[in-house]
Amino acid sequence: MAGNGRIRADVKPGLEVDIVLKQDQRTGKTTRGIVKDLLTNSPQHPHGIKVRLQDGQVGRVKNIIGGASE
């Protein structure tokens, strides 16, 4: 299961994702990690669902790699 991270239902805690951190939005550099919390409440977001990774970093999901519930 891979997705683009714009639909909240696709993003779940435990999934491995690539996110763009706030400071990396200009460059588009991605950071890979495991989702801990979903921070976006709306069902979808054009720039990606905002999440907190297990290491505490916060950013918007660009790619869903896979993981927990495949």
Side-chain angles (χ1 to χ4, degrees):
M1 167 199 158
N4 60 12
R6 292 191 182 130
I7 298 171
R8 193 176 192 274
D10 291 347
V11 182
K12 295 179 176 55
L15 282 180
E16 186 177 12
V17 296
D18 285 336
I19 65 167
V20 174
L21 302 173
K22 181 80 173 161
Q23 66 265 29
D24 295 331
Q25 282 176 351
R26 281 195 187 90
T27 64
K29 175 180 169 284
T30 59
T31 303
R32 186 162 293 186
I34 306 294
V35 176
K36 181 179 179 190
D37 301 308
L38 275 66
L39 304 178
T40 299
N41 289 322
S42 60
Q44 57 190 43
H45 192 285
H47 301 297
I49 300 300
K50 189 179 275 186
V51 298
R52 180 180 296 115
L53 300 180
Q54 287 179 345
D55 63 7
Q57 297 186 97
V58 173
R60 295 197 181 274
V61 177
K62 288 298 169 198
N63 290 302
I64 299 170
I65 309 306
S69 57
E70 292 212 51

